């Protein structure tokens, strides 16, 4: 019997890539997603890649009875990977209550279900946004957690606090919180990838949509940062590397290898890349000249952040394998392939 892992948000960008890695590692994924920012067709794409369509339940985890009922119906779930959340920084500033409600209530319901059914392990989807602008780079897990600049970021910080408080009295449980830097790229098959609704907020989908002609130009936010070329620096990691880290984290939890009930790991490449370097990488691998223009800084953006990944390297035995160019190429292939064959109503 394959071990069942509940993947909330499993049709989303990182979730879908993680379901692929999980199934390829011999687990059975149970996906819960309300499809508010993803598509049911992703399940078929996952089946094309892995040969198995994941089990699927469509609902929002804020529905308490549904969430608790799910654990009743799948009593053999051994672990949870919790991705499901609202994630747009700008939208969270405009609709803070929706963000706090959705992201925190869903986590609480999941923990209630896990407690009742004694599910011992959770991997939580956190973000480097909890560090704000770090005082030292690369940033380690020991760095001070600052008040995030957005309600979205604050939901990640508060979620980590809820998890830590919960674990104080639930000794049989373990949680690994993975703080992602900037995930980019797509599955090498070109069958799944990032699919933003409307105008993309994030750099790489904006680049690929501009290159394919959906957007007129990329606006580069700020050229007066204190960085070598004046543009902001991030740590971009390939989503398949990121997805693999979740499988490794699940294995650590299930093998009882945790050193502490609440562990935190940075997931990045350890390399800082500027916006201009990212654009150059895209141009190099795609052969497309990108139309871009410098504009003012985007409010809330930090100047530079990249990960110290030594803890993930040594403790999880995980490291990013793909290069920036690999990631850009898969993002571009996904964009091209998707536009040739989009989902029905796009
Ligand atoms: C932010 C959050 C991250 C969150 C993510 C989700 C921080 C440090 N990071 O990532 O936690 O998970 O949003 O959306 O708060 N850029 C442009 N033009 C564009 C788009 C982006 O120049 O059209 C630049 C940005 O200014 C930034 C870089 O590209 O310097 C990356 O931006 P983006 O992809 O939006 O990610 P973050 O803002 O780093």
């Amino acid at each position: 019997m394959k071990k069942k892992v509940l993947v909330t948000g499993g049709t989303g960008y990182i979730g879908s890539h993680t379901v692929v890695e999980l199934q390829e590692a011999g687990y059975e994924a149970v996906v819960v997603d309300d499809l508010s920012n993803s598509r049911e067709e992703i399940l078929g794409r996952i089946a094309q890649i892995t040969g198995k369509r994941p089990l699927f339940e469509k609902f929002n985890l804020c529905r308490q009875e549904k969430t608790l009922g799910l654990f009743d119906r799948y009593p053999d779930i051994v672990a949870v990977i919790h991705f499901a959340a609202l994630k747009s920084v700008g939208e969270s500033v405009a609709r803070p209550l929706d963000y706090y409600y959705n992201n925190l209530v869903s986590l609480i319901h999941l923990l209630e279900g896990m407690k009742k059914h004694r599910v011992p392990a959770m991997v939580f989807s956190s973000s480097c946004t909890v560090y704000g602008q770090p005082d030292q780079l690369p940033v380690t897990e020991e760095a001070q957690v600052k008040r995030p600049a957005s309600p979205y970021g604050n939901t990640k910080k508060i979620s980590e606090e809820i998890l830590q408080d919960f674990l104080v009295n639930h000794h049989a449980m373990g949680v690994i919180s993975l703080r992602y830097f900037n995930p980019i790229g797509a599955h090498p098959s070109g069958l799944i990838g990032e699919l933003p609704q409307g105008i993309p907020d994030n750099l790489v989908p904006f680049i690929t949509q501009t290159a394919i002609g959906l957007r007129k130009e990329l606006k580069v936010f700020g050229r007066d940062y204190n960085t070598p070329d004046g543009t902001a620096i991030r740590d971009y990691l390939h989503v398949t590397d990121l997805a693999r880290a979740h499988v490794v984290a699940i294995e650590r939890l299930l093998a009882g290898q945790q050193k502490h009930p609440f562990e935190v790991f940075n997931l990045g490449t350890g390399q800082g890349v500027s916006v201009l370097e990212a654009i150059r990488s895209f141009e190099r691998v795609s052969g497309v000249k990108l139309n871009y223009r410098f504009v003012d800084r985007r409010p809330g953006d930090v100047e530079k952040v990249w990960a110290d990944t030594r803890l993930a390297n040594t403790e999880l035995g995980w490291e990013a394998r793909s290069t920036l160019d690999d990631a850009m190429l898969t993002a571009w292939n996904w964009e091209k392939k998707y536009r040739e064959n989009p989902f029905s109503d796009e």
Side-chain angles (χ1 to χ4, degrees):
M1 271 287 276
K2 289 185 173 176
K3 288 181 183 153
K4 275 201 186 72
V5 176
L6 175 62
V7 184
T8 76
T11 52
Y13 174 42
I14 307 171
S16 58
H17 289 82
T18 299
V19 170
V20 166
E21 297 297 321
L22 268 178
Q23 295 200 156
E24 288 184 340
Y27 293 90
E28 180 160 25
V30 180
V31 169
V32 179
D33 204 302
D34 67 358
L35 301 179
S36 59
N37 192 26
S38 62
R39 303 283 305 220
E40 196 162 352
E41 287 93 328
I42 295 294
L43 299 165
R45 299 286 180 95
I46 293 171
Q48 270 181 270
I49 298 169
T50 65
K52 168 101 175 75
R53 190 181 172 92
L55 299 163
F56 177 59
E57 304 280 338
K58 182 186 165 193
F59 66 89
N60 184 299
L61 298 160
C62 292
R63 295 171 69 183
Q64 188 181 33
E65 270 128 77
K66 284 273 199 186
T67 305
L68 297 183
L70 180 80
F71 288 98
D72 291 330
R73 274 182 295 115
Y74 298 101
D76 51 347
I77 285 172
V78 297
V80 176
I81 308 181
H82 182 37
F83 294 105
L86 298 174
K87 64 163 188 178
S88 162
V89 173
E91 188 182 62
S92 80
V93 175
R95 295 169 34 205
L97 297 184
D98 290 345
Y99 272 68
Y100 286 115
Y101 185 85
N102 187 77
N103 292 2
L104 301 179
V105 171
S106 56
L107 173 66
I108 291 166
H109 291 165
L110 265 181
L111 290 174
E112 286 171 351
M114 291 174 72
K115 177 180 163 183
K116 183 158 171 248
H117 288 267
R118 299 191 157 76
V119 180
M122 178 190 268
V123 176
F124 178 68
S125 175
S126 188
S127 167
C128 71
T129 192
V130 301
Y131 298 120
Q133 176 59 63
D135 301 325
Q136 281 190 341
L137 288 166
V139 60
T140 70
E141 291 82 354
E142 302 295 306
Q144 192 197 343
V145 167
K146 295 184 177 165
R147 191 182 190 291
S150 71
Y152 155 76
N154 210 24
T155 67
K156 294 296 176 191
K157 174 173 176 281
I158 296 170
S159 294
E160 288 195 352
E161 290 165 356
I162 291 174
L163 288 164
Q164 289 175 76
D165 289 345
F166 176 80
L167 289 170
V168 171
N169 277 321
H170 296 90
H171 303 288
M173 251 187 83
V175 175
I176 293 181
S177 184
L178 300 176
R179 292 181 179 159
Y180 315 149
F181 284 66
N182 288 55
I184 61 164
H187 192 267
S189 64
L191 288 166
I192 56 172
E194 193 168 5
L195 199 57
Q197 281 183 348
I199 301 169
D201 284 331
N202 298 112
L203 179 64
V204 173
F206 211 106
I207 289 177
T208 56
Q209 289 196 9
T210 305
I212 208 144
L214 280 175
R215 313 277 155 214
K216 199 166 100 306
E217 62 180 9
L218 170 76
K219 294 185 180 70
V220 175
F221 298 134
R223 67 185 309 186
D224 58 350
Y225 284 108
N226 182 24
T227 59
D229 65 21
T231 63
I233 293 180
R234 298 287 183 273
D235 183 338
Y236 297 95
L237 82 156
H238 195 302
V239 67
T240 55
D241 279 329
L242 178 57
R244 192 166 37 82
H246 292 76
V247 179
V248 175
I250 286 288
E251 281 170 353
R252 179 177 177 89
L253 286 160
L254 295 181
Q257 289 166 342
Q258 276 192 298
K259 297 202 171 135
H260 191 273
F262 184 77
E263 288 183 325
V264 173
F265 296 101
N266 285 343
L267 297 180
T269 64
Q271 303 290 321
V273 168
S274 74
V275 177
L276 281 178
E277 286 170 332
I279 292 172
R280 271 188 231 114
S281 163
F282 174 80
E283 291 184 331
R284 190 162 52 236
V285 299
S286 68
V288 177
K289 183 101 191 61
L290 200 71
N291 187 25
Y292 67 88
R293 165 169 81 89
F294 293 101
V295 299
D296 285 348
R297 294 181 181 194
R298 181 170 67 177
D301 273 351
V302 300
E303 181 167 87
K304 48 190 165 197
V305 62
W306 64 92
D308 185 322
T309 62
R310 281 176 298 173
L311 197 65
N313 301 156
T314 53
E315 282 296 316
L316 295 179
W318 171 91
E319 62 180 356
R321 294 176 188 153
S322 292
T323 63
L324 177 65
D325 283 5
D326 293 338
M328 285 291 181
L329 185 60
T330 57
W332 180 229
N333 287 339
W334 153 248
E335 183 74 59
K336 286 189 295 185
K337 195 162 171 170
Y338 179 71
R339 297 302 158 193
E340 278 165 21
N341 186 16
F343 296 138
S344 45
D345 53 358
E346 287 254 346

